Amino acid sequence: METKVQRSKTLVEEICAIPGGEGILDCIQCGTCSASCPNASRMDHTPRMLIAMARAGMREEVLSSNAMWFCASCYLCTVRCPRDIKPTELMHALECLAVRQSLSNERTRTPIMYRSFSDFVYSIGSVPEVGFMTWFYLLSNPLRALKMAPLALSLLKHGRMSIKARRLKPEAERQLRAILDKAEVLGGMS
Amino acid sequence: MKYYTYFPGCSSSDGGAKAYGSSALAVAKALDVELVELEDWNCCGSTPYTSVDELASLCTSARNLALAEKRGLDLVTPCSSCYVILSRTNSHLKEYPELRVKVGKALAAGDLEYHGTVRVRHLLDILVNDIGLDEIASRVKRDLSGLKVAPYYGCQVVRPGPSFDHPESPQSLDRLIESLGAEATPFPLKARCCGGSLIIPEEDVALGLVNKLLDSAVGGGAECIITVCPLCQTNLDVYQGRVNKKFKTHYKIPVLFFTQLVGLAMGMGIKELGIEKCIVSAEKILAGYIER
Ligand code: SF4
Ligand code: SF4
């Protein structure tokens, strides 16, 4: 039971509480992850820096960073880290924390895409690509939807756009929703 | 006959990579492999979802594993992303007991339980290691000699592992191409990232990565690329035009699913394998081989 007198958790403690996040304590700051990362140059802080900042308790800066949202889950850092830390998992943990604290992030659209994705999974259990993309573009920037029209048309022409979403059987849909509702009551990973 | 439970994933079932799913099934059948689709599967729990709500994503994923466990067979998917997500759910549940308890409770709300016994496999692994290259070579009916093919692994079929191939310089797809009678070309970036789903929210970043990949494949002399993942195929094929526009390049290299190449070698037709669905047309480079 949490009580109000408890001191609030430090950022590192919060990260460690997320499965996969505990590796942050073992980092030796060698920079192998940053050097391996295909998107490091687009990140405002490299993976190694992000780890250092988190350990220094720079909550605001870390959780509003765009770095984790540029992670493509290529796992190159993870197979190379000499300390077996799984920086990819750390990136996921930071994304979770950032979303949880709903610090708005104006420097990347990725969080919005992820949100639209999970809306679909919750409601119908699968991800119809057309619906998903439309939903995403509408949430983020309707003008981009227009720019992508030629690409959508060429997919359509090649029979690669299905307009209808695949639906689970009603009882399976109910089962999935019961599981997810329970997960929500159980309140996250940590 | 070999038997597996099959998890097509959203893209290969009836999304943009339908042709991957249908060619996978056709090839499996011809190789005496029975892939029985997991009944009422849902989204694998996909990466984007993982970032927003970890527990919900694990539970989504675990429902599939729980359903598969009832059948007691290996769970096979052609999608590298589904492969990583489902495997990660397995390893997370093994590594973190508290998580296992929570996921167990959530599954129970849907009258399911999961004991962690399902082996998640990628379709490439099945072809190369269960069926075997000699067996595949013995089924080849069409002469593909001279066809130069770049083997694109991407990331998630070999990483984070432990996997059936080397995490940075894998060989299985190269060997598969050779056993089909075609030529695997040198492709230094064959296990590097295509940007994955970042292509939607951060197109510029992903296009930059795709550009490097295409350059590496073409530089090795390839006439076409084969992939083992719907996301990779989409980024390299569907977005090839956007790369050309952005970087003033002139790539025109077809990108096939590996199952389509296997099917071709086994004598199946372009239509049957859905090859006409490639945005960058493959018919021209394949025409000579079809008529041989
Ligand atoms: S590679 Fe591992 S040890 Fe080195 S900086 Fe990155 S996380 Fe730390
Ligand atoms: S997994 Fe993410 S952080 Fe690690 S190298 Fe790949 S893109 Fe960079």
Side-chain angles (χ1 to χ4, degrees):
Chain A
M1 253 306 166
E2 285 210 20
T3 59
K4 286 208 171 112
V5 283
Q6 251 178 356
R7 93 182 148 82
S8 53
K9 280 188 184 167
T10 65
L11 180 57
V12 168
E13 282 168 343
E14 278 181 62
I15 294 172
C16 287
I18 298 179
E22 67 282 352
I24 194 168
L25 298 173
D26 299 326
C27 174
I28 51 169
Q29 290 288 297
C30 69
T32 303
C33 49
S34 306
S36 308
C37 181
N39 294 335
S41 64
R42 302 296 186 117
M43 300 174 175
D44 49 9
H45 311 290
T46 63
R48 181 198 62 78
M49 277 166 73
L50 210 59
I51 292 172
M53 288 162 62
R55 296 206 296 200
M58 299 165 73
R59 178 183 295 270
E60 278 289 308
E61 292 86 338
V62 170
L63 295 186
S64 63
S65 167
N66 69 10
M68 53 274 197
W69 301 107
F70 277 107
C71 170
S73 299
C74 78
Y75 290 96
L76 204 52
C77 53
T78 293
V79 297
R80 288 183 179 175
C81 170
R83 302 282 291 159
D84 285 335
I85 285 172
K86 305 191 182 128
T88 319
E89 293 289 343
L90 271 181
M91 290 299 206
H92 286 182
L94 289 175
E95 286 172 342
C96 281
L97 285 180
V99 170
R100 221 183 274 171
Q101 309 212 351
S102 353
L103 281 178
S104 66
N105 192 332
E106 276 155 18
R107 277 170 299 165
T108 165
R109 285 176 291 264
T110 313
I112 302 177
M113 177 190 80
Y114 288 178
R115 185 80 268 170
S116 22
F117 200 90
S118 44
D119 289 346
F120 270 106
V121 178
Y122 179 79
S123 49
I124 62 171
S126 71
V127 186
E129 287 156 336
V130 184
F132 167 61
M133 283 174 73
T134 318
W135 197 238
F136 162 70
Y137 287 125
L138 286 179
L139 282 175
S140 61
N141 177 354
L143 278 178
R144 286 191 80 223
L146 281 177
K147 256 177 56 193
M148 300 310 281
L151 191 142
L153 275 178
S154 102
L155 281 172
L156 202 59
K157 213 172 76 202
H158 287 82
R160 292 178 61 165
M161 277 265 203
S162 43
I163 307 295
K164 239 175 67 218
R166 166 181 174 272
R167 297 297 293 258
L168 311 188
K169 280 208 246 35
E171 59 271 27
E173 222 169 88
R174 269 197 302 277
Q175 181 184 50
L176 175 63
R177 221 167 293 172
I179 294 171
L180 293 180
D181 286 340
K182 183 70 184 180
E184 195 168 351
V185 176
L186 292 169
M189 307 267 285
S190 50
Chain B
M1 202 72 174
K2 290 194 162 64
Y3 300 89
Y4 302 91
T5 304
Y6 180 59
F7 185 88
C10 295
S11 289
S12 314
S13 69
D14 54 4
K18 254 186 291 210
Y20 193 15
S22 55
S23 58
L25 290 174
V27 162
K29 194 165 167 213
L31 289 168
D32 297 323
V33 171
E34 192 162 324
L35 299 176
V36 180
E37 184 166 327
L38 182 65
E39 205 182 327
D40 267 320
W41 56 273
N42 51 254
C43 165
C44 66
S46 171
T47 323
Y49 194 24
T50 315
S51 328
V52 178
D53 190 338
E54 273 276 70
L55 186 64
S57 137
L58 276 167
C59 291
T60 307
S61 190
R63 176 176 174 270
N64 294 316
L65 294 172
L67 293 175
E69 196 169 54
K70 291 187 189 171
R71 289 180 43 86
L73 299 169
D74 286 359
L75 183 63
V76 177
T77 176
C79 172
S80 302
S81 185
C82 296
Y83 171 65
V84 157
I85 299 285
L86 294 167
S87 309
R88 178 178 180 273
T89 302
N90 255 344
S91 58
H92 259 51
L93 293 178
K94 213 165 266 157
E95 250 173 84
Y96 303 101
E98 282 171 41
L99 204 59
R100 193 159 61 229
V101 173
K102 278 190 182 177
V103 171
K105 281 186 186 153
L107 286 177
D111 277 326
L112 286 175
E113 47 188 332
Y114 181 52
H115 305 281
T117 63
V118 175
R119 246 176 103 196
V120 179
R121 319 257 320 258
H122 191 284
L123 184 63
L124 176 63
D125 180 17
I126 303 299
L127 258 61
V128 173
N129 298 311
D130 287 15
I131 300 170
L133 297 177
D134 292 340
E135 175 66 24
I136 292 177
S138 76
R139 309 284 188 108
V140 169
K141 291 208 185 82
R142 186 175 274 142
D143 181 10
L144 294 182
S145 59
L147 181 65
K148 296 188 171 61
V149 185
Y152 181 55
Y153 298 79
C155 308
Q156 302 187 331
V157 71
V158 285
R159 290 191 299 271
S163 132
F164 55 94
D165 209 336
H166 190 279
E168 294 197 44
S169 31
Q171 287 300 323
S172 45
L173 201 50
D174 294 64
R175 290 191 292 122
L176 178 63
I177 294 171
E178 306 282 343
S179 72
L180 297 175
E183 182 188 331
T185 57
F187 185 6
L189 299 188
K190 64 186 179 182
R192 292 309 179 89
C193 184
C194 72
S197 59
L198 283 182
I199 198 94
I200 299 176
E202 299 294 347
E203 191 182 315
D204 280 356
V205 176
L207 290 183
L209 298 176
V210 174
N211 181 31
K212 284 188 201 157
L213 294 176
L214 293 172
D215 183 58
S216 173
V218 171
E223 300 167 274
C224 67
I225 301 174
I226 57 171
T227 67
V228 297
C229 171
L231 254 84
C232 299
Q233 200 280 343
T234 301
N235 288 10
L236 267 56
D237 175 35
V238 181
Y239 284 81
Q240 203 172 115
R242 309 267 305 163
V243 168
N244 283 335
K245 204 161 164 204
K246 184 172 165 67
F247 296 97
K248 314 243 176 315
T249 44
H250 304 281
Y251 302 116
K252 222 180 151 192
I253 184 163
V255 186
L256 304 178
F257 293 108
F258 82 107
T259 44
Q260 292 176 321
L261 190 72
V262 177
L264 266 182
M266 294 179 72
M268 298 176 195
I270 298 266
K271 269 258 152 60
E272 193 182 354
L273 294 163
I275 292 176
E276 82 287 354
K277 288 191 164 59
C278 292
I279 302 295
V280 178
S281 168
E283 273 106 321
K284 212 160 140 200
I285 65 146
L286 296 177
Y289 299 93
I290 304 287
E291 285 148 18
R292 260 185 203 184

